[in-house]
Amino acid sequence: MLDRRHRIADLEVRLSQTEAAWAAERARADALERNFPDHQELVKERDRLRQEVHRLTEELEEVRQLGRLAEDRCQMLERQLAMVESQRMAAVPRQDEEPVVAAGPAVPEPCAGPRPKILVVDDQQNNLLAMEAVLATLDQELVTATSGQEALKALLDHDDFAVILLDVQMPEMDGYETAAHIKRRPRNRDVPIIFLTAMGADPEHTSRGYAAGAVDYMAKPIDPWALRAKVSVFTEYFLERRRYSEREAKERSRG
């Protein structure tokens, strides 16, 4: 009986302590509620900030990925530029050679081969007609294709392509997949590809185009002057390489 009384007294003490602690916590909660009446809004604001941090973190990772792709593309373009410059330097006469004095303006050395070809790939016939009209003033042969499969077949059937103008949005095989097939072929992997698209030149599309091996990315509607200028540049590079190969062949035959 005495033991039971002790237990009851102990429980009464513990109950009093618990009630006191509860009253203190309740008073503390009431004070916090008085000081911060909009604590629920604070909780919502915290959650919104957490979501914003998560979104910004994802965007930062995407930007970093695009930056890495851009750096890789810059390195590729620098290698291509170094190759072109080395070919241009090789085409300059050596110092021990007698310079040729021209009577009139400098004229590019003619090439013995056929005219360079331009491959234009677009699934819309009216776009092909427009491209033919834009490039008609250039002294180049145009080869057209209405699908990725036709483009790959044209590359097998023809040689001497100076540049490929490739539409991105095509059924069955789009421009990115077509470019990947072209770059896997040793015969065509060095032919420059210019992507043409109506999707706009935003970073996502351009980075994907450069990753597929394109040298340029133009948004539709195409500026005809810019297109002709770019095609002319790549055609001149192509002709310079051909002239250099012809000179090398002549020198070997003389030796």
Side-chain angles (χ1 to χ4, degrees), residues 176-190:
Y176 300 127
E177 187 178 356
T178 304
H181 284 292
I182 293 172
K183 292 301 179 181
R184 281 197 291 265
R185 295 180 175 182
R187 177 182 178 183
N188 309 124
R189 65 176 50 164
D190 294 328

Side-chain angles (χ1 to χ4, degrees), residues 5-186:
R5 288 177 181 176
H6 288 166
R7 291 180 60 189
I8 292 174
D10 182 62
L11 290 174
E12 288 177 348
V13 172
R14 292 174 60 185
L15 177 60
S16 298
Q17 293 175 343
T18 302
E19 289 176 347
W22 180 85
E25 289 297 324
R26 180 61 186 175
R28 181 170 175 269
D30 292 341
L32 289 174
E33 188 172 357
R34 287 193 300 272
N35 294 329
F36 302 99
D38 297 332
H39 65 283
Q40 292 296 332
E41 292 298 325
L42 293 177
V43 172
K44 293 179 181 179
E45 180 66 18
R46 180 202 62 187
D47 294 339
R48 285 195 294 268
L49 289 175
R50 285 178 176 175
Q51 294 176 358
E52 183 69 11
V53 169
H54 181 71
R55 183 184 65 81
L56 291 175
T57 301
E58 291 182 344
E59 289 185 0
L60 178 60
E61 182 58 31
E62 291 179 0
V63 171
R64 287 174 176 170
Q65 179 66 20
L66 291 176
R68 288 191 290 268
L69 291 174
E71 290 177 359
D72 294 341
R73 181 59 189 164
C74 286
Q75 293 176 359
M76 181 184 300
L77 291 176
E78 287 175 355
R79 290 194 296 269
Q80 292 178 352
L81 180 60
M83 180 185 66
V84 171
E85 290 298 327
S86 64
Q87 292 173 350
R88 292 177 66 90
M89 293 300 296
V92 176
R94 296 188 297 270
Q95 293 183 355
D96 56 350
E97 294 180 348
E98 295 183 0
V100 178
V101 179
V107 178
E109 180 182 346
C111 295
R115 292 185 303 164
K117 297 182 178 67
I118 309 301
L119 178 58
V120 184
V121 188
D122 198 303
D123 62 311
Q124 300 295 324
Q125 190 64 37
N126 57 339
N127 290 339
L128 291 176
L129 294 175
M131 297 296 291
E132 290 178 351
V134 169
L135 301 174
T137 56
L138 302 179
D139 187 23
Q140 298 153 4
E141 180 181 349
L142 296 182
V143 178
T144 60
T146 58
S147 67
Q149 293 289 354
E150 284 189 16
L152 296 176
K153 184 177 183 302
L155 289 168
L156 289 176
D157 295 340
H158 300 272
D159 289 321
D160 298 328
F161 279 108
V163 64
I164 300 172
L165 306 178
L166 183 56
D167 183 39
V168 172
Q169 292 179 293
M170 295 187 296
E172 297 181 5
M173 182 187 299
D174 64 13
Y176 300 127
E177 187 178 356
T178 304
H181 284 292
I182 293 172
K183 292 301 179 181
R184 281 197 291 265
R185 295 180 175 182

